[in-house]
Amino acid sequence: MVGGVLVLWAVATVTFFAVRLIPGDPAEAILGGPGSQTSPEALAAVRAEYGLDQPVLLQYLSQLGRLATGDLGRSYALNMDVGPLVFSQLGGTLILALLALTVAWLIALLLATWSTGRGRLARQIGSGLEIVAAALPHFWLATTLIVVFSVWWGVLPPISTMDARGLVLPVITLAIPLAGFLGQVMRESLTIALESPFVLSARARGESDRGVLWRHALRHAALPAISLSGWAFGSLISGAVVVETIFARPGLGRTLLNAVTVRDVPVVVGVVMIVALAYILMTVLTDLASRLTDPRPIRTPTGADA
């Protein structure tokens, strides 16, 4: 609990001061942007209304006070409460991230199980595919997928639509690089697990190779990848900024990018705070999943198995 609060405080602090470093005047965003040609009197009135004429430290403390009460403030550029705005975009981004995480897990699992135990050549091929996948930038992969599946073959829409077909390319774009990272971890863990004493015992009891893999080794091999899923979720949310922009998909990523462009500080802080909360929740769920998946017995303080 305390750790989560500290994370939220650190996120709010870093975001607040980072946005302040972006060139431009937030008061201009409130009045329509840099090209609005507003008078100095109007700018001064807006700064006084929103507290922008106060010292930065006072603005920071005021924002922390609002966040502590659950008030995300009011958008400078859109003139609406940040809370409803952010939550209206949250669902689309969560669906995109969770689908991408699921697809990445499936790809990593299939690649790890295929390349393990099939000789040196299979391991080298699997390792090479994982390294290439992990190194692919989202913007390059998204552009390539659009050219291939939309321009050349015409089987999938180049922009995200409201149906399932519109999710395919964005999900694949996010899933493939993540699958490379998870695959490397899972394949290495699976190789170690297959060389462990409990596998030798299972083989001695007459367990088949498939049984050894799926009933014994895979549970041990999946633990490091499950532990990384919390980090992976945060990585997917950050990747959504690029993917949602390229595929014109509504979500937190596009909302954050637009807010940063016009220095809409309340929206930027609100989006980042909601993402941080989602990340903390995902980390807790990941830790719970690791405990449930871990086949090793839990030790009590007295040393006995629970």
Side-chain angles (χ1 to χ4, degrees):
M1 180 65 179
V2 176
V5 173
L6 291 176
V7 168
L8 293 177
W9 168 77
V11 167
T13 301
V14 172
T15 305
F16 177 86
F17 289 104
V19 175
R20 288 299 190 282
L21 297 177
I22 301 175
D25 187 353
E28 292 183 346
I30 300 173
L31 294 174
S36 59
Q37 298 181 350
T38 54
S39 64
E41 293 78 11
L43 288 174
V46 166
R47 292 190 185 102
E49 179 182 355
Y50 286 85
L52 298 175
D53 57 343
Q54 298 178 353
V56 174
L57 180 59
L58 290 180
Q59 296 182 44
Y60 165 69
L61 293 177
S62 176
Q63 177 177 276
L64 285 185
R66 291 195 304 270
L67 291 176
T69 61
D71 182 9
L72 297 179
R74 193 167 182 84
S75 169
Y76 294 163
L78 301 176
N79 193 27
M80 63 179 298
D81 290 337
V82 174
L85 171 65
V86 172
F87 282 108
S88 67
Q89 304 296 320
L90 178 61
T93 300
L94 287 181
I95 291 174
L96 180 63
L98 291 175
L99 286 176
L101 182 61
T102 302
V103 173
W105 253 91
L106 291 175
I107 295 174
L109 180 62
L110 291 175
L111 190 58
T113 54
W114 173 82
S115 60
T116 303
R118 292 178 177 267
R120 182 178 179 182
L121 179 60
R123 289 197 302 270
Q124 291 177 342
I125 293 175
S127 177
L129 291 175
E130 291 159 359
I131 292 173
V132 171
L136 291 177
H138 287 126
F139 69 89
W140 181 89
L141 183 57
T143 304
T144 302
L145 292 175
I146 289 174
V147 171
V148 174
F149 290 97
S150 300
V151 178
W152 291 354
W153 296 348
V155 295
L156 292 171
I159 61 175
S160 185
T161 57
M162 299 306 295
D163 57 6
R165 294 176 68 248
L167 275 171
V168 174
L169 293 185
V171 167
I172 293 176
T173 301
L174 283 175
I176 288 180
L178 179 58
F181 285 106
L182 294 179
Q184 293 179 61
V185 174
M186 193 178 300
R187 185 172 51 81
E188 183 68 22
S189 300
L190 187 58
T191 301
I192 295 174
L194 289 174
E195 298 173 352
S196 300
F198 69 88
V199 169
L200 297 178
S201 299
R203 294 186 188 278
R205 294 194 302 268
E207 188 76 73
S208 64
D209 290 342
R210 178 170 296 184
V212 167
L213 176 64
W214 293 99
R215 296 178 187 174
H216 302 281
L218 199 57
R219 290 185 65 186
H220 290 264
L223 289 175
I226 292 176
S227 300
L228 280 176
S229 293
W231 162 85
F233 182 78
S235 175
L236 291 173
I237 295 294
S238 63
V241 175
V242 176
V243 172
E244 289 177 353
T245 302
I246 293 176
F247 290 100
R249 177 178 175 80
L252 291 181
R254 290 184 67 190
T255 302
L256 178 60
L257 180 62
N258 294 335
V260 170
T261 303
V262 300
R263 286 178 58 92
D264 197 341
V265 178
V267 175
V268 174
V269 175
V271 170
V272 175
M273 291 296 291
I274 294 301
V275 170
L277 280 172
Y279 174 78
I280 292 172
L281 178 60
M282 188 66 182
T283 302
V284 172
L285 294 176
T286 298
D287 183 66
L288 178 61
S290 297
R291 293 175 181 271
L292 294 176
T293 306
D294 194 345
R296 294 170 296 184
I298 300 176
R299 296 287 180 176
T300 63
T302 60
D305 294 346

